[in-house]
Amino acid sequence: MIDLRSDTLTRPTEPMLEAMMRAETGDDVYGEDPTVNELEAYSAKITGKAAALYTTSGTQSNLLALLSHCQRGDEYIAGQDAHSYQFEGGGAAVLGGIQPYTLQFNERGELPLEALKQAVKPDDFHYAITRLVCLENTQAGKVLGLTYLNLFAQMMANLNLKSHLDGARVFNAAIAQKVPVATLCNPFDTISICLSKGLGCPVGSILVGDEETIHRARRLRKMLGGGMRQAGIIAASGLYALRNNINKLAQDHEKAKKVYDKSTEFKSLSFAAAPETNMLFLAQKVDADVLNLYLAKHGIKVSGRRWVFHLDISDADVDYLLDICSQFDRLVDPLI
Ligand SMILES: *Cc1c(COP(=O)(O)O)cnc(C)c1O
């Protein structure tokens, strides 16, 4: 089975499991789990932030950021297709009374700065109070440019707004741009990072930011039932991943690139754009239903038009995938 539906599908490797088995633990609700403390300190250090909080999921760490920055009646601005707005159960509205206001991402995965400026509400009691702007990096596999990020940060400072990055895959962005992850975190007040995606952990995310915001988030995490006790067992997988798996993301990007490059030889298969990181999206003209059925028959799972490459996709898997695509191409060629 080759599962390209998501990079969440990675399973822990032997050495990761061994690190988990050997983890020193304590009660993290008492602040006494040395492995969790080490993971939080290490995460803060490499992202260039003062503090970090280990969370159950990316959804939880995004929610904690929103709840920490905003009060009831405040507004946050996010992309129309942003994970935090579309795919997190409306948590900010349900649990925080925080109103979302959405803008379209442009083709580079940015919120256009002019539109952003227009969206910020004036100090007038007819409006909710604009408090926070959320970006995503990577956004649908695309990497936000450094120039854009700097202009964004300047604008946030000028408008006196807070900023949060849904950096579920921010390490993919850092590796693709060959910059330290701290450079990509610097423009934001808080950043949420998934350990359970390309980095290969079975569970867990990290929220990083300043001491005060993370202190609030820690209180809220407890309130949401996210106070975990001997969490060092799972936190050890996070430490292992941050020390061993970041550079491996480059291989996922190469796998996606290899498939993209080869696809240009096929008549029946084309992708919307060359991959910037680990994701490919089928072009609109491809009949994904027919292709996906053929792939499924040959043990390959994809999710709609999205193909995601990750640690559990070997080089041999990529070759097999290309072989099946080539067979499909020969089959349908007379029909095109
Ligand atoms: C996966 C993902 C999340 C949340 O992750 P969970 O750990 O599944 O809650 C947040 N944002 C983006 C962009 C994601 O891809």
Side-chain angles (χ1 to χ4, degrees):
M1 176 61 72
I2 296 178
D3 207 332
L4 301 172
R5 286 174 301 164
S6 175
D7 45 8
T8 55
L9 291 151
T10 52
R11 271 157 303 183
T13 56
E14 277 300 322
M16 181 181 275
L17 287 168
E18 226 162 84
M20 294 170 76
M21 207 163 63
R22 282 198 313 267
E24 248 190 280
T25 58
D27 191 328
D28 182 50
V29 174
Y30 286 70
E32 291 173 5
D33 189 302
T35 309
V36 173
N37 292 341
E38 193 182 346
L39 173 64
E40 291 180 345
Y42 188 66
S43 303
K45 182 166 160 251
I46 62 177
T47 55
K49 295 294 178 191
L53 180 69
Y54 187 41
T55 65
T56 58
S57 66
T59 299
Q60 188 182 60
S61 59
N62 278 336
L63 176 62
L64 292 175
L66 285 158
L67 294 175
S68 299
H69 289 302
C70 302
Q71 300 293 315
R72 295 179 67 77
D74 284 353
E75 172 188 83
Y76 76 102
I77 300 175
Q80 174 68 27
D81 299 321
H83 200 284
S84 56
Y85 171 63
Q86 289 270 8
F87 306 114
E88 299 183 3
V94 175
L95 299 165
I98 309 165
Q99 164 158 287
Y101 185 89
T102 63
L103 295 170
Q104 293 291 346
F105 284 122
N106 68 16
E107 69 288 348
R108 288 185 297 278
E110 304 161 352
L111 294 182
L113 295 179
E114 200 42 50
L116 197 49
K117 204 168 166 184
Q118 300 289 329
V120 176
K121 310 299 178 291
D123 182 9
D124 172 333
F125 54 53
H126 289 87
Y127 301 112
I129 300 161
T130 310
R131 185 75 64 194
L132 173 73
V133 180
C134 300
L135 295 182
E136 236 174 69
N137 198 11
T138 62
Q139 202 287 312
K142 284 170 291 203
V143 174
L144 298 182
L146 298 176
T147 310
Y148 171 78
L149 287 177
N150 286 332
L151 291 171
F152 169 81
Q154 270 171 31
M155 184 189 239
M156 292 299 99
N158 292 342
L159 296 170
N160 200 22
L161 294 177
K162 296 286 180 186
S163 60
H164 172 68
L165 179 69
D166 180 350
R169 298 184 179 85
V170 72
F171 281 105
N172 291 82
I175 287 290
Q177 283 167 314
K178 299 190 171 64
V179 296
V181 77
T183 304
L184 303 184
C185 295
N186 184 52
F188 298 91
D189 292 301
T190 50
I191 302 95
S192 164
I193 303 171
C194 285
L195 298 167
S196 59
K197 291 192 171 157
L199 292 174
C201 292
V203 65
S205 282
I206 281 281
L207 181 67
V208 297
D210 61 275
E211 294 274 4
E212 205 187 311
T213 309
I214 296 301
H215 183 71
R216 273 202 297 280
R218 194 177 292 280
R219 182 181 178 78
L220 289 159
R221 184 188 65 172
K222 187 76 181 86
M223 194 190 289
L224 293 175
M228 298 177 284
R229 301 292 176 174
Q230 283 72 29
I233 295 270
I234 48 175
S237 73
L239 271 171
Y240 180 89
L242 293 176
R243 289 183 175 137
N244 297 281
N245 291 351
I246 294 173
N247 289 330
K248 289 189 187 147
L249 295 170
Q251 294 166 27
D252 298 340
H253 302 177
E254 282 160 23
K255 293 168 212 166
K257 181 76 168 49
K258 183 172 178 182
V259 171
Y260 175 81
D261 286 346
K262 185 79 183 164
S263 76
T264 58
E265 295 171 18
F266 301 143
K267 293 194 188 67
S268 63
L269 187 66
S270 69
F271 294 99
E276 293 180 33
T277 56
N278 65 331
M279 289 186 200
L280 286 171
F281 293 86
L282 288 177
Q284 285 303 327
K285 64 181 178 193
V286 177
D287 186 339
D289 290 344
V290 176
L291 174 64
N292 292 357
L293 220 61
Y294 190 79
L295 294 176
K297 216 181 88 189
H298 292 87
I300 299 161
K301 280 192 189 174
V302 296
S303 170
R305 296 186 167 272
R306 191 179 80 156
W307 297 16
V308 188
F309 295 83
H310 52 76
L311 274 173
D312 287 10
I313 305 296
S314 67
D315 290 338
D317 290 340
V318 170
D319 291 339
Y320 173 74
L321 169 67
L322 285 170
D323 197 38
I324 297 302
C325 290
S326 165
Q327 280 179 32
F328 179 76
D329 202 50
R330 286 198 298 276
L331 243 164
V332 301
D333 191 20
L335 308 174
I336 293 176

